[in-house]
Amino acid sequence: MFNTTDETAAPPQPPAATMLQMIAGFWVSRAVWAAAELGLPDKLPTPRTADDLAKELGLHGRSLYRLMRALASVGVFHEHADGRFENTPLSSTLKNDAPDSVRALARSELGHCHYPSWGEILYSVETGKPSFDKVYGMPVFEWFGKNPERAQVFNQSMSELTNTVEPAVLEAFDFSDCGTIVDVGGCFGSLLIGILQKYPQLKGVVFDAPSVVEGAKPKIAAAGLTDRCTTVAGDFFKAVPAGGDTYIMKHIIHDW
């Protein structure tokens, strides 16, 4: 129960004000995308001015300052009194080498891959068809096949998404008796690597499209799991690797 007599509680916000925040929410999202796309957090090992960053990146100084000031207002970057900006815990998640990095996720979801498709949401509601196909003229994974650089960002974003949910998955489920696990649509193998590291008695197979699963090999090697984890390329609409004791899928079924 809320204590309605608490004089320190903030007064309820009018519904129109709450809706205004929802309407303008994409302003912040796109500002985050711009910072991620430009790699701004990686350029701030020490505090720097927007003008300094703009000269390095070939940008308009005053406009970059306004972008960074806007982000600082929501905790992404901190502005010093002398106009220099530094990273905060939020902006640090947009750094390439951060252990909890979501830079690729921000670039994929808010940039060239998904964001334009949301502009055609009414098309999906009216037809039941993916708006991505209307915007780009082809299904998403066909488009990725023709745009490998964007596909690489998307694949990395899926690994980042896995990293955010992996601790909860490992905490919630006991994999100890799962034998050989086949991760169908396992991308770069992030989830399977986490499982195998926690359960040294298990073995695993990362299964995904040929262009994707190649990216799992160096990550498996870096984790020291080449003796317990292999990769298989293929199309799960046609077949999946035989011989597994457990088959897992994460963030796969919703696509189809």
Side-chain angles (χ1 to χ4, degrees):
M1 295 288 293
F2 290 106
N3 182 3
T4 57
T5 63
D6 184 359
E7 296 180 357
T8 64
Q13 184 168 258
T18 300
M19 181 52 67
L20 179 60
Q21 289 179 325
M22 293 180 178
I23 292 170
F26 79 95
W27 300 352
V28 175
S29 297
R30 285 290 279 178
V32 167
W33 169 78
E37 188 73 8
L38 292 169
L40 296 181
D42 286 309
K43 302 293 184 181
L44 293 173
T46 57
R48 298 175 65 183
T49 65
D51 280 339
D52 187 29
L53 285 167
K55 290 176 183 177
E56 178 182 342
L57 298 172
L59 304 173
H60 185 261
R62 187 63 182 172
S63 296
L64 181 60
Y65 172 73
R66 294 177 67 187
L67 170 70
M68 298 185 74
R69 183 182 63 178
L71 287 168
S73 74
V74 292
V76 182
F77 301 126
H78 169 71
E79 183 182 6
H80 290 271
D82 61 3
R84 293 178 303 149
F85 290 89
E86 68 176 341
N87 280 319
T88 63
L90 281 178
S91 64
S92 293
T93 66
L94 300 177
K95 296 172 65 176
N96 271 327
D97 60 353
D100 58 348
S101 177
V102 289
R103 183 191 177 201
L105 189 62
R107 296 177 68 199
S108 178
E109 293 297 320
L110 303 173
H112 300 284
C113 298
H114 293 91
Y115 184 81
S117 299
W118 282 97
E120 291 289 346
I121 188 173
L122 288 183
Y123 171 80
S124 289
V125 175
E126 291 165 355
T127 66
K129 299 177 181 179
S131 60
F132 187 100
D133 298 18
K134 181 176 187 294
V135 173
Y136 292 97
M138 65 189 74
V140 59
F141 289 105
E142 182 180 338
W143 185 82
F144 280 142
K146 297 178 183 296
N147 295 272
E149 291 183 3
R150 295 299 175 189
Q152 178 65 23
V153 173
F154 171 76
N155 291 334
Q156 180 60 35
S157 77
M158 293 297 96
S159 290
E160 292 176 353
L161 186 59
T162 295
N163 291 337
T164 66
V165 302
E166 179 187 307
V169 172
L170 293 177
E171 177 68 24
F173 191 81
D174 181 5
F175 291 92
S176 59
D177 62 352
C178 288
T180 296
I181 301 175
V182 180
D183 189 352
V184 179
C187 195
F188 292 161
S190 299
L191 177 59
L192 187 55
I193 288 171
I195 294 172
L196 297 184
Q197 287 177 326
K198 182 174 180 178
Y199 299 94
Q201 74 275 22
L202 303 182
K203 294 183 179 181
V205 178
V206 180
F207 177 70
D208 213 312
S211 61
V212 176
V213 80
E214 282 297 314
K217 293 180 179 179
K219 295 183 180 297
I220 292 170
L225 293 171
T226 52
D227 60 331
R228 292 197 288 129
C229 189
T230 59
T231 61
V232 176
D235 180 351
F236 62 70
F237 284 115
K238 297 178 180 178
V240 298
D245 301 298
T246 305
Y247 290 77
I248 60 176
M249 292 182 287
K250 180 192 66 64
H251 292 144
I252 297 300
I253 297 176
H254 73 277
D255 276 342
W256 312 107

